[in-house]
Amino acid sequence: MNNNQIFVKKLRSSGLRPTKQRLHICKVLFDRKDTFHFTINDLADLVQRQLNKKISLATIYNTVHAFKKKGYLKEISINSDKNYFDTNISNHHHFFNEGTNELIDLKDKDVGRIKIKKNIPGKKIKFIEVIVKIANNN
Amino acid sequence: MNNNQIFVKKLRSSGLRPTKQRLHICKVLFDRKDTFHFTINDLADLVQRQLNKKISLATIYNTVHAFKKKGYLKEISINSDKNYFDTNISNHHHFFNEGTNELIDLKDKDVGRIKIKKNIPGKKIKFIEVIVKIANNN
DNA sequence: TTACCTGCAAAGAGTTTGCAGGTAG
DNA sequence: CTACCTGCAAACTCTTTGCAGGTAA
């Protein structure tokens, strides 16, 4: 299956029609070796630069949100200023460089087992998110 | 030292004059037994309900930000929708109930030591934030 | 008296929505 | 052909800023 077919499948399974604009969004998101951390703005800029043509924010937003809902993208809570997404949907955590606003993946094995010793009756743990804020060494 | 004197001291050490409005903000924030998790909106509502009078958002914002800068309040990154603050400035983590948007403190001892096995050259770890997302048990 | 503060309103940033023309199926 | 999509612009929400009158020191 080539990339384009994969993208079409992702879009369809997210309830979206595979339009030209959305296939370009997919290309920017998923046609890469490494994890991609981005804000909506980053993504819009990249897609538009690649296409050399304006793409509506409405399209970017609805595509990203559909992918997030379907689980093809993860949202990362860093701070309230910027809303980050991550194409790495495996279980992992992050370094966040506050100087540069850069996110770096921490593989699951890079973080020791996290033990939560408190229990809330009637609730179960859904997901643990760890953000390791880093700064220059001086 | 009574509460009012403590509040005046907090304000002054944050570079703010102790005005009537700010003393009320202090009362809502710090005159309580338990940790208080809030958004700017929560705080504005509470202060205004107590005073039965409108308080400018400008005042709320500049006071909260000055306290945060001075370290009397902590900011918590949960998601991009809401910006939470915490009157508990000790080292601790949080449960976040996604159904109710409620934050619950995890004492430091409730979370096992977190071991980060990866190092970024030239950077040091400033601070680790853990959010444990919880949901109903069913 | 002077510098800071308050309240209001307007301005910004990021996100969402409504609509009319366009496109996939 | 119909339902969905796109692009645009307007609307919304949250936060910040500017200003004129008011208050702390």
Side-chain angles (χ1 to χ4, degrees):
Chain A
M1 192 153 57
N2 68 25
N3 271 344
N4 211 66
Q5 289 173 309
I6 293 170
F7 299 160
V8 170
K9 212 172 155 186
K10 281 199 161 156
L11 286 166
R12 287 211 195 282
S13 61
S14 305
L16 299 174
R17 284 187 181 165
T19 63
K20 209 181 309 177
Q21 291 87 341
R22 288 186 176 143
L23 287 169
H24 270 285
I25 294 173
C26 284
K27 194 151 179 269
V28 171
L29 287 178
F30 303 121
D31 188 7
R32 49 175 76 233
K33 279 278 186 309
D34 295 321
T35 299
F36 179 36
H37 298 118
F38 64 97
T39 64
I40 293 281
N41 237 322
D42 297 337
L43 180 58
D45 283 354
L46 274 171
V47 173
Q48 293 179 28
R49 201 169 312 141
Q50 271 206 11
L51 271 174
N52 204 29
K53 179 168 171 308
K54 191 138 185 31
I55 280 202
S56 173
L57 276 180
T59 305
I60 307 266
Y61 273 102
N62 67 30
T63 306
V64 166
H65 288 156
F67 281 160
K68 181 193 156 190
K69 192 173 171 192
K70 183 66 183 179
Y72 293 139
L73 291 174
K74 253 173 108 167
E75 197 170 0
I76 310 168
S77 313
I78 302 291
N79 62 41
S80 52
D81 297 349
K82 302 214 165 212
N83 195 2
Y84 286 88
F85 293 90
D86 189 343
T87 55
N88 179 353
I89 57 175
S90 72
N91 190 26
H92 71 292
H93 300 293
H94 294 94
F95 282 121
F96 182 63
N97 183 340
E98 289 197 305
T100 61
N101 275 13
E102 189 191 6
L103 274 170
I104 300 165
D105 276 359
L106 268 163
K107 293 191 191 66
D108 202 31
K109 65 175 179 55
D110 292 335
V111 180
R113 179 151 210 80
I114 295 162
K115 208 167 182 164
I116 305 296
K117 297 168 190 164
K118 186 175 180 178
N119 187 44
I120 307 280
K123 305 285 174 192
K124 65 162 184 288
I125 293 176
K126 228 175 101 185
F127 164 58
I128 299 178
E129 183 161 7
V130 179
I131 308 281
V132 182
K133 304 206 173 174
I134 57 177
N136 285 336
N137 223 339
N138 57 59
Chain B
M1 191 154 55
N2 67 26
N3 272 345
N4 212 66
Q5 290 173 306
I6 293 171
F7 299 159
V8 170
K9 213 172 155 188
K10 281 198 160 158
L11 286 165
R12 286 211 194 283
S13 60
S14 306
L16 300 173
R17 284 187 182 167
T19 63
K20 209 181 310 177
Q21 292 88 339
R22 287 186 176 145
L23 287 169
H24 272 283
I25 293 172
C26 284
K27 194 151 176 268
V28 171
L29 288 178
F30 303 120
D31 188 7
R32 48 175 78 232
K33 281 278 186 304
D34 297 320
T35 298
F36 180 36
H37 298 117
F38 63 97
T39 64
I40 294 282
N41 237 323
D42 297 337
L43 179 59
D45 283 354
L46 274 171
V47 173
Q48 293 180 28
R49 200 171 310 142
Q50 270 205 13
L51 271 174
N52 204 29
K53 181 169 168 310
K54 190 140 185 31
I55 280 203
S56 173
L57 276 179
T59 306
I60 307 264
Y61 274 101
N62 68 30
T63 307
V64 166
H65 288 156
F67 280 160
K68 181 194 155 189
K69 191 172 171 192
K70 183 66 184 180
Y72 292 140
L73 291 174
K74 252 173 109 167
E75 196 169 1
I76 311 169
S77 312
I78 303 290
N79 62 41
S80 52
D81 298 348
K82 303 212 164 214
N83 196 1
Y84 286 86
F85 293 90
D86 190 342
T87 55
N88 179 354
I89 57 174
S90 71
N91 190 25
H92 71 293
H93 300 293
H94 294 95
F95 282 121
F96 181 63
N97 183 340
E98 289 197 305
T100 61
N101 276 11
E102 190 191 5
L103 274 169
I104 301 166
D105 276 0
L106 268 163
K107 292 192 190 67
D108 203 30
K109 67 175 178 55
D110 292 334
V111 180
R113 178 149 213 82
I114 295 162
K115 208 167 182 164
I116 305 296
K117 298 168 188 165
K118 186 177 179 176
N119 187 44
I120 307 279
K123 305 288 173 189
K124 67 161 182 290
I125 292 176
K126 228 175 104 186
F127 165 57
I128 298 179
E129 183 161 8
V130 179
I131 309 281
V132 182
K133 304 209 173 175
I134 56 177
N136 285 336
N137 225 337
N138 58 58

Short mmCIF file of all heavy atoms in Angstrom, two decimals, chain B residues 13-41:
data_model
loop_
_atom_site.label_atom_id
_atom_site.label_comp_id
_atom_site.label_asym_id
_atom_site.label_seq_id
_atom_site.Cartn_x
_atom_site.Cartn_y
_atom_site.Cartn_z
N SER B 13 5.52 42.17 48.79
CA SER B 13 6.70 41.43 48.32
C SER B 13 6.54 41.03 46.86
O SER B 13 7.52 40.66 46.21
CB SER B 13 6.93 40.20 49.20
OG SER B 13 5.81 39.35 49.15
N SER B 14 5.32 41.11 46.35
CA SER B 14 5.11 40.84 44.92
C SER B 14 5.15 42.12 44.10
O SER B 14 4.88 42.10 42.90
CB SER B 14 3.77 40.14 44.71
OG SER B 14 3.67 38.99 45.51
N GLY B 15 5.45 43.22 44.78
CA GLY B 15 5.54 44.49 44.07
C GLY B 15 4.21 45.17 43.84
O GLY B 15 4.07 46.00 42.95
N LEU B 16 3.22 44.82 44.65
CA LEU B 16 1.88 45.38 44.46
C LEU B 16 1.42 46.14 45.70
O LEU B 16 1.74 45.75 46.83
CB LEU B 16 0.88 44.25 44.19
CG LEU B 16 1.12 43.39 42.96
CD1 LEU B 16 0.14 42.23 42.94
CD2 LEU B 16 1.02 44.20 41.69
N ARG B 17 0.67 47.18 45.47
CA ARG B 17 0.10 47.90 46.60
C ARG B 17 -1.11 47.14 47.15
O ARG B 17 -1.90 46.61 46.39
CB ARG B 17 -0.37 49.27 46.14
CG ARG B 17 0.77 50.23 45.96
CD ARG B 17 0.22 51.59 45.69
NE ARG B 17 1.28 52.54 45.46
CZ ARG B 17 1.10 53.74 44.95
NH1 ARG B 17 -0.13 54.13 44.60
NH2 ARG B 17 2.10 54.56 44.79
N PRO B 18 -1.24 47.16 48.45
CA PRO B 18 -2.37 46.46 49.07
C PRO B 18 -3.64 47.29 48.98
O PRO B 18 -3.96 48.04 49.89
CB PRO B 18 -1.93 46.29 50.52
CG PRO B 18 -0.98 47.41 50.75
CD PRO B 18 -0.32 47.70 49.44
N THR B 19 -4.36 47.13 47.90
CA THR B 19 -5.62 47.84 47.74
C THR B 19 -6.77 46.94 48.22
O THR B 19 -6.57 45.76 48.45
CB THR B 19 -5.86 48.19 46.27
OG1 THR B 19 -5.95 46.98 45.53
CG2 THR B 19 -4.73 49.02 45.73
N LYS B 20 -7.92 47.57 48.36
CA LYS B 20 -9.09 46.84 48.81
C LYS B 20 -9.35 45.62 47.91
O LYS B 20 -9.57 44.51 48.38
CB LYS B 20 -10.30 47.80 48.77
CG LYS B 20 -11.38 47.50 49.78
CD LYS B 20 -12.53 48.49 49.63
CE LYS B 20 -12.00 49.95 49.63
NZ LYS B 20 -13.09 50.94 49.41
N GLN B 21 -9.33 45.87 46.61
CA GLN B 21 -9.61 44.79 45.66
C GLN B 21 -8.62 43.63 45.82
O GLN B 21 -9.00 42.47 45.85
CB GLN B 21 -9.54 45.31 44.22
CG GLN B 21 -10.64 46.28 43.85
CD GLN B 21 -10.29 47.73 44.18
OE1 GLN B 21 -9.43 48.00 45.03
NE2 GLN B 21 -10.97 48.66 43.54
N ARG B 22 -7.37 43.99 45.93
CA ARG B 22 -6.36 42.94 46.01
C ARG B 22 -6.43 42.19 47.32
O ARG B 22 -6.15 40.99 47.39
CB ARG B 22 -4.98 43.55 45.80
CG ARG B 22 -4.78 43.95 44.36
CD ARG B 22 -3.37 44.41 44.11
NE ARG B 22 -3.19 44.71 42.69
CZ ARG B 22 -2.44 45.68 42.22
NH1 ARG B 22 -1.78 46.46 43.06
NH2 ARG B 22 -2.32 45.87 40.93
N LEU B 23 -6.80 42.89 48.39
CA LEU B 23 -6.93 42.19 49.66
C LEU B 23 -8.07 41.17 49.59
O LEU B 23 -7.97 40.08 50.16
CB LEU B 23 -7.14 43.18 50.80
CG LEU B 23 -5.85 43.95 51.15
CD1 LEU B 23 -6.13 45.11 52.09
CD2 LEU B 23 -4.80 43.02 51.77
N HIS B 24 -9.11 41.54 48.87
CA HIS B 24 -10.19 40.57 48.68
C HIS B 24 -9.75 39.37 47.86
O HIS B 24 -10.12 38.23 48.15
CB HIS B 24 -11.41 41.24 48.03
CG HIS B 24 -12.32 41.83 49.03
ND1 HIS B 24 -13.19 41.07 49.79
CD2 HIS B 24 -12.48 43.09 49.45
CE1 HIS B 24 -13.84 41.86 50.61
NE2 HIS B 24 -13.44 43.10 50.43
N ILE B 25 -8.96 39.64 46.85
CA ILE B 25 -8.43 38.53 46.06
C ILE B 25 -7.61 37.61 46.96
O ILE B 25 -7.75 36.39 46.94
CB ILE B 25 -7.58 39.05 44.88
CG1 ILE B 25 -8.48 39.79 43.88
CG2 ILE B 25 -6.85 37.92 44.19
CD1 ILE B 25 -7.73 40.51 42.77
N CYS B 26 -6.79 38.21 47.80
CA CYS B 26 -5.98 37.42 48.73
C CYS B 26 -6.84 36.58 49.64
O CYS B 26 -6.54 35.42 49.92
CB CYS B 26 -5.12 38.33 49.61
SG CYS B 26 -3.71 39.01 48.75
N LYS B 27 -7.91 37.20 50.12
CA LYS B 27 -8.79 36.48 51.03
C LYS B 27 -9.33 35.23 50.35
O LYS B 27 -9.32 34.13 50.91
CB LYS B 27 -9.94 37.42 51.45
CG LYS B 27 -10.73 36.94 52.63
CD LYS B 27 -11.32 38.12 53.42
CE LYS B 27 -12.19 37.64 54.56
NZ LYS B 27 -13.61 37.50 54.20
N VAL B 28 -9.81 35.40 49.14
CA VAL B 28 -10.37 34.25 48.41
C VAL B 28 -9.28 33.20 48.15
O VAL B 28 -9.51 32.00 48.27
CB VAL B 28 -11.01 34.71 47.09
CG1 VAL B 28 -11.38 33.52 46.22
CG2 VAL B 28 -12.23 35.57 47.37
N LEU B 29 -8.09 33.66 47.84
CA LEU B 29 -7.02 32.71 47.51
C LEU B 29 -6.45 32.00 48.73
O LEU B 29 -6.29 30.78 48.72
CB LEU B 29 -5.87 33.44 46.81
CG LEU B 29 -6.07 33.92 45.39
CD1 LEU B 29 -4.82 34.66 44.91
CD2 LEU B 29 -6.38 32.74 44.48
N PHE B 30 -6.14 32.78 49.75
CA PHE B 30 -5.28 32.23 50.80
C PHE B 30 -5.97 32.00 52.14
O PHE B 30 -5.39 31.38 53.02
CB PHE B 30 -4.07 33.14 51.00
CG PHE B 30 -3.27 33.36 49.74
CD1 PHE B 30 -3.09 34.63 49.22
CD2 PHE B 30 -2.70 32.28 49.07
CE1 PHE B 30 -2.35 34.84 48.06
CE2 PHE B 30 -1.97 32.48 47.91
CZ PHE B 30 -1.79 33.76 47.40
N ASP B 31 -7.16 32.52 52.31
CA ASP B 31 -7.83 32.34 53.60
C ASP B 31 -8.66 31.07 53.56
O ASP B 31 -9.89 31.11 53.56
CB ASP B 31 -8.73 33.55 53.88
CG ASP B 31 -9.30 33.49 55.30
OD1 ASP B 31 -8.89 32.59 56.07
OD2 ASP B 31 -10.14 34.34 55.63
N ARG B 32 -7.98 29.93 53.49
CA ARG B 32 -8.67 28.64 53.40
C ARG B 32 -7.73 27.54 53.87
O ARG B 32 -6.52 27.68 53.84
CB ARG B 32 -9.14 28.39 51.98
CG ARG B 32 -8.10 28.63 50.92
CD ARG B 32 -8.60 28.23 49.55
NE ARG B 32 -9.50 29.18 48.96
CZ ARG B 32 -10.70 28.89 48.47
NH1 ARG B 32 -11.16 27.66 48.55
NH2 ARG B 32 -11.46 29.81 47.92
N LYS B 33 -8.36 26.47 54.31
CA LYS B 33 -7.57 25.35 54.82
C LYS B 33 -6.95 24.55 53.67
O LYS B 33 -5.77 24.21 53.69
CB LYS B 33 -8.46 24.40 55.63
CG LYS B 33 -8.75 24.85 57.05
CD LYS B 33 -7.61 24.48 58.00
CE LYS B 33 -7.95 24.80 59.45
NZ LYS B 33 -8.34 26.24 59.64
N ASP B 34 -7.77 24.25 52.66
CA ASP B 34 -7.32 23.32 51.63
C ASP B 34 -6.76 24.03 50.42
O ASP B 34 -6.98 25.22 50.21
CB ASP B 34 -8.48 22.43 51.21
CG ASP B 34 -8.96 21.57 52.37
OD1 ASP B 34 -8.09 21.09 53.13
OD2 ASP B 34 -10.18 21.40 52.52
N THR B 35 -6.07 23.26 49.64
CA THR B 35 -5.58 23.74 48.36
C THR B 35 -6.74 24.26 47.53
O THR B 35 -7.83 23.72 47.57
CB THR B 35 -4.94 22.56 47.61
OG1 THR B 35 -3.85 22.09 48.37
CG2 THR B 35 -4.45 23.01 46.25
N PHE B 36 -6.47 25.27 46.78
CA PHE B 36 -7.48 25.86 45.91
C PHE B 36 -6.97 25.81 44.48
O PHE B 36 -5.92 26.37 44.17
CB PHE B 36 -7.73 27.30 46.37
CG PHE B 36 -8.75 28.05 45.57
CD1 PHE B 36 -9.87 27.41 45.05
CD2 PHE B 36 -8.60 29.41 45.35
CE1 PHE B 36 -10.82 28.12 44.33
CE2 PHE B 36 -9.54 30.13 44.62
CZ PHE B 36 -10.66 29.47 44.12
N HIS B 37 -7.71 25.09 43.64
CA HIS B 37 -7.39 25.04 42.22
C HIS B 37 -8.41 25.90 41.48
O HIS B 37 -9.60 25.71 41.64
CB HIS B 37 -7.51 23.61 41.67
CG HIS B 37 -6.56 22.66 42.30
ND1 HIS B 37 -6.97 21.57 43.04
CD2 HIS B 37 -5.22 22.63 42.31
CE1 HIS B 37 -5.91 20.91 43.45
NE2 HIS B 37 -4.84 21.52 43.03
N PHE B 38 -7.93 26.78 40.65
CA PHE B 38 -8.89 27.69 40.02
C PHE B 38 -8.41 28.18 38.65
O PHE B 38 -7.22 28.17 38.35
CB PHE B 38 -9.13 28.90 40.92
CG PHE B 38 -7.88 29.72 41.15
CD1 PHE B 38 -7.63 30.86 40.40
CD2 PHE B 38 -6.96 29.35 42.11
CE1 PHE B 38 -6.46 31.61 40.59
CE2 PHE B 38 -5.80 30.09 42.31
CZ PHE B 38 -5.55 31.22 41.56
N THR B 39 -9.38 28.64 37.89
CA THR B 39 -9.08 29.38 36.67
C THR B 39 -9.31 30.86 37.00
O THR B 39 -9.95 31.19 38.00
CB THR B 39 -10.02 28.99 35.52
OG1 THR B 39 -11.34 29.37 35.88
CG2 THR B 39 -9.97 27.49 35.25
N ILE B 40 -8.80 31.72 36.16
CA ILE B 40 -9.00 33.16 36.36
C ILE B 40 -10.49 33.47 36.51
O ILE B 40 -10.90 34.26 37.36
CB ILE B 40 -8.42 33.95 35.17
CG1 ILE B 40 -6.90 33.82 35.11
CG2 ILE B 40 -8.83 35.41 35.23
CD1 ILE B 40 -6.14 34.69 36.08
N ASN B 41 -11.27 32.80 35.70
CA ASN B 41 -12.72 33.01 35.74
C ASN B 41 -13.33 32.61 37.07
O ASN B 41 -14.16 33.33 37.62
CB ASN B 41 -13.38 32.20 34.63
CG ASN B 41 -14.17 33.10 33.74
OD1 ASN B 41 -14.78 34.05 34.21
ND2 ASN B 41 -14.15 32.82 32.46
#
